[in-house]
Amino acid sequence: MSNTCLLAVLVGGVLLLLGGEGSSQLAVGDRHTLVAIRKGWGNPRHLASWDPAAAAADHCSWEGVTCSSNATTGGGGVVTELSLHDMNLTGTVPAAVCDLASLTRLDLSNNQLTGAFPAAALCRCSRLRFLDLANNALHGAHTRDIGRLSPAMEHLNLSSNRFSGAVPLAVAALPALRSLLLDTNRFTGVYPAAEIGKLAGLECLTLAVNAFAPAPVPVAFAKLTKLIYFWMSEMNIIGEIPKALSSLTELTQLDLSSNNLTGAIPAWVWRHEKLEYLYLNNNTLIGELPRTVTAVNLIEIDLSTNQLRGEMSEDFDNLRNLTFLSLNRNNLSGELPPDLGKHSPLSSIDISRTVISPNIQWIEMGNNKFSGSIPRTAIKLLVFSAENNQLDGELPADMSKLANLIELKVPDNRITGPIPASIKLLLNLKSLNLSGNQLIGAIS
Ligand SMILES: *[C@@H]1O[C@H](CO)[C@@H](O)[C@H](O)[C@H]1NC(C)=O
Ligand SMILES: *[C@@H]1O[C@H](CO)[C@@H](O)[C@H](O)[C@H]1NC(C)=O
Ligand SMILES: *[C@@H]1O[C@H](CO)[C@@H](O)[C@H](O)[C@H]1NC(C)=O
Ligand SMILES: *[C@@H]1O[C@H](CO)[C@@H](O)[C@H](O)[C@H]1NC(C)=O
Ligand SMILES: *[C@@H]1O[C@H](CO)[C@@H](O)[C@H](O)[C@H]1NC(C)=O
Ligand SMILES: *[C@@H]1O[C@H](CO)[C@@H](O)[C@H](O)[C@H]1NC(C)=O
Ligand SMILES: *[C@@H]1O[C@H](CO)[C@@H](O)[C@H](O)[C@H]1NC(C)=O
Ligand SMILES: *[C@@H]1O[C@H](CO)[C@@H](O)[C@H](O)[C@H]1NC(C)=O
């Protein structure tokens, strides 16, 4: 803690003694503080309810204010949370905020706040555990001051600002962090992977969309075994997806898209049973699709724009929750199943395979070498986009089993035969492209 901050804490303590320790005094103090904060922001319209002259005596009912209901710490009236997102606030974070001595949660996201990281204003908030400054216009290279925040900090969200320079080593001063969101800023250079790797409680880590120096995925992150949400897109990652990251068994979202990843997709990715969202698109990954897929809870898979080859194994049948599958622009092959989701794998009547989830809504597989014909049955399908493949056969005679389609895009295949009259049953269709096939007839 810097000397400036220490001094401020001492002064605050003296004032507290002079004012007495009773809860009512604390609460009155908090009311005055709220009024000072409002004034500091130029009495913005969204804080109109924070009016000391108005009848509402209880400041705990003011917009965005939450008070403690803990009898031990002072009955009521003590402000513990400020939730001031989407309030069109401008200017900087007022120093008075930390006169709210019991403040644990401060949400200022989605405003138009400017200035540097408000360390001087926030370092006195000794109980702060949650700070959300996402989606503002904060800037500057002095984020090392985050080390002056309360060591009790659990959630720090600086996403979507204009912070620049290096990600500070000072993250290590916040050992209780569970979320660290630094994505979508202007950070550069090398981020402190070893220090971040020591934040053993991290559940959410986002470093995406920053102009870091090209570097591999840090093996130090393999220690973050509680990680659930891992967003590392568009940040100049090179090299292979490390085997060591197989330790991250709690992951539900893994996003390494839009980097320069090379090599094959490691087997562990397809085995993490908690994984729901997998985005590895826009890299230069090679190798075949996996034979064994036990990550049965996958909801979205985007592998588009890589150099993958091979076929989808029967194990993709097991992804019952899959709604989005993008395989565009690879070198994949194999025959599409005629019916998506019609047959249970255990059905004794018809043993034909499903291969793609019955719940699938979105399939993109353009620019590959897929064969077979357009699915006949896919009742939940909204988008089927498979341009430039080797699909053949005819369009399904009864298109009513594709009734939810919004987009059907299959140009440049080998589809033959008539355009079925039932195409007019696709009442939701907004986009249709059948060009570059050998179809005959008109759409009536
Ligand atoms: C009330 O505050 C005291 C002192 O901070 C704390 O020990 C206790 O757990 C709190 N009780 C509740 C119900 O939050
Ligand atoms: C936000 O403030 C600007 C002026 O600073 C005003 O033009 C705009 O209408 C406000 N928007 C909302 C949603 O209050
Ligand atoms: C910022 O991160 C916190 C913690 O993960 C999260 O609760 C909050 O919703 C995020 N804010 C925005 C604006 O997404
Ligand atoms: C990553 O690949 C893109 C092209 O896809 C290339 O322009 C860029 O230089 C590469 N960056 C690194 C760090 O290799
Ligand atoms: C692909 O990734 C590069 C960075 O490697 C990025 O600049 C580009 O916008 C990405 N393209 C798409 C379509 O996402
Ligand atoms: C699919 O989603 C449902 C509902 O969210 C969930 O109960 C189930 O465990 C998920 N996984 C599988 C494999 O069905
Ligand atoms: C695609 O795979 C075929 C073999 O299936 C191979 O001959 C061809 O070179 C591959 N093309 C690319 C661009 O990798
Ligand atoms: C249909 O697809 C072809 C081939 O991709 C493309 O050239 C054409 O512009 C598309 N037509 C429309 C109307 O989008």
Side-chain angles (χ1 to χ4, degrees):
M1 191 182 280
S2 83
N3 288 339
T4 343
C5 205
L6 198 57
L7 189 64
V9 169
L10 287 174
V11 171
V14 172
L15 287 177
L16 198 65
L17 286 176
L18 291 176
E21 298 231 12
S23 63
S24 54
Q25 282 90 342
L26 272 178
V28 168
D30 280 3
R31 184 184 171 87
H32 292 325
T33 299
L34 291 175
V35 173
I37 292 169
R38 173 175 178 261
K39 195 170 168 219
W41 268 322
N43 298 326
R45 194 165 56 81
H46 285 91
L47 297 184
S49 70
W50 294 24
D51 183 355
D58 184 5
H59 59 268
C60 297
S61 67
W62 290 357
E63 172 102 39
V65 177
T66 301
C67 293
S68 158
S69 52
N70 183 332
T72 321
T73 55
V78 176
V79 175
T80 53
E81 300 183 9
L82 285 182
S83 185
L84 308 177
H85 55 88
D86 301 283
M87 289 198 169
N88 215 0
L89 301 172
T90 55
T92 57
V93 177
V97 162
C98 290
D99 292 342
L100 302 170
S102 298
L103 195 68
T104 59
R105 190 180 164 101
L106 178 60
D107 180 358
L108 300 174
S109 63
N110 306 336
N111 284 296
Q112 291 153 40
L113 298 173
T114 49
F117 182 79
L122 296 179
C123 64
R124 284 185 301 118
C125 290
S126 61
R127 301 212 180 145
L128 200 63
R129 289 200 302 264
F130 180 102
L131 175 61
D132 191 351
L133 298 173
N135 291 306
N136 279 288
L138 299 165
H139 63 90
H142 293 288
T143 48
R144 64 168 177 270
D145 291 345
I146 67 173
R148 291 166 65 189
L149 293 174
S150 153
M153 283 290 300
E154 292 177 2
H155 301 280
L156 177 60
N157 192 343
L158 303 184
S159 163
S160 302
N161 279 284
R162 294 170 199 164
F163 291 118
S164 55
V167 170
L169 289 166
V171 292
L174 306 174
L177 279 185
R178 291 163 58 195
S179 314
L180 178 60
L181 296 94
L182 302 175
D183 65 272
T184 326
N185 276 288
R186 295 172 187 175
F187 288 116
T188 51
V190 178
Y191 55 88
E195 280 72 17
I196 294 172
K198 285 177 196 151
L199 301 173
L202 271 192
E203 293 166 6
C204 170
L205 175 61
T206 75
L207 293 165
V209 197
N210 281 295
F212 293 120
V217 182
V219 171
F221 289 178
K223 287 184 283 186
L224 301 174
T225 54
K226 294 192 175 154
L227 214 52
I228 294 171
Y229 187 98
F230 191 34
W231 184 26
M232 301 278 280
S233 160
E234 224 178 312
M235 48 181 277
N236 291 325
I237 300 176
I238 53 171
E240 302 197 0
I241 302 172
K243 281 206 177 62
L245 260 55
S246 66
S247 57
L248 308 184
T249 53
E250 298 297 314
L251 283 181
T252 64
Q253 171 146 341
L254 174 62
D255 189 344
L256 299 171
S257 62
S258 294
N259 283 295
N260 288 42
L261 288 168
T262 52
I265 301 172
W268 66 259
V269 169
W270 302 106
R271 294 195 174 140
H272 273 18
E273 296 207 354
K274 294 193 175 162
L275 199 57
E276 295 179 344
Y277 300 92
L278 175 63
Y279 306 115
L280 299 176
N281 46 297
N282 198 15
N283 280 290
T284 44
L285 294 165
I286 56 164
E288 300 210 2
L289 286 183
R291 214 157 309 228
T292 308
V293 182
T294 50
V296 292
N297 289 303
L298 279 163
I299 296 171
E300 299 195 357
I301 300 177
D302 194 341
L303 302 176
S304 61
T305 317
N306 278 291
Q307 291 160 25
L308 302 169
R309 59 198 162 77
E311 305 186 5
M312 289 170 75
S313 79
E314 295 186 25
D315 271 15
F316 279 86
D317 287 9
N318 302 330
L319 310 183
R320 312 295 292 178
N321 285 355
L322 195 66
T323 60
F324 176 92
L325 176 65
S326 180
L327 302 171
N328 279 337
R329 290 181 297 277
N330 277 286
N331 196 8
L332 297 165
S333 52
E335 193 166 322
L336 289 189
D339 300 290
L340 306 184
K342 190 179 170 195
H343 307 290
S344 145
L346 301 175
S347 160
S348 54
I349 302 161
D350 188 331
I351 53 158
S352 81
R353 301 206 295 115
T354 306
V355 179
I356 300 172
S357 155
N359 294 311
I360 195 87
Q361 294 179 351
W362 197 295
I363 301 179
E364 298 173 350
M365 43 177 45
N367 298 298
N368 282 287
K369 294 188 177 119
F370 285 108
S371 56
S373 46
I374 293 183
R376 285 186 309 227
T377 315
I379 218 62
K380 295 194 179 166
L381 198 60
L382 304 174
V383 170
F384 184 75
S385 157
E387 72 277 15
N388 191 23
N389 275 286
Q390 296 167 8
L391 300 181
D392 55 15
E394 302 194 349
L395 291 173
D398 176 9
M399 297 195 86
S400 68
K401 290 170 185 159
L402 298 168
N404 284 310
L405 276 180
I406 293 169
E407 184 178 317
L408 177 59
K409 204 166 106 187
V410 288
D412 304 321
N413 279 285
R414 299 164 185 175
I415 304 165
T416 55
I419 294 178
S422 64
I423 200 163
K424 64 172 182 287
L425 300 175
L426 304 182
L427 297 177
N428 296 324
L429 203 61
K430 292 206 167 68
S431 167
L432 176 68
N433 194 336
L434 303 171
S435 81
N437 286 290
Q438 288 126 49
L439 292 159
I440 44 176
I443 300 174
S444 48

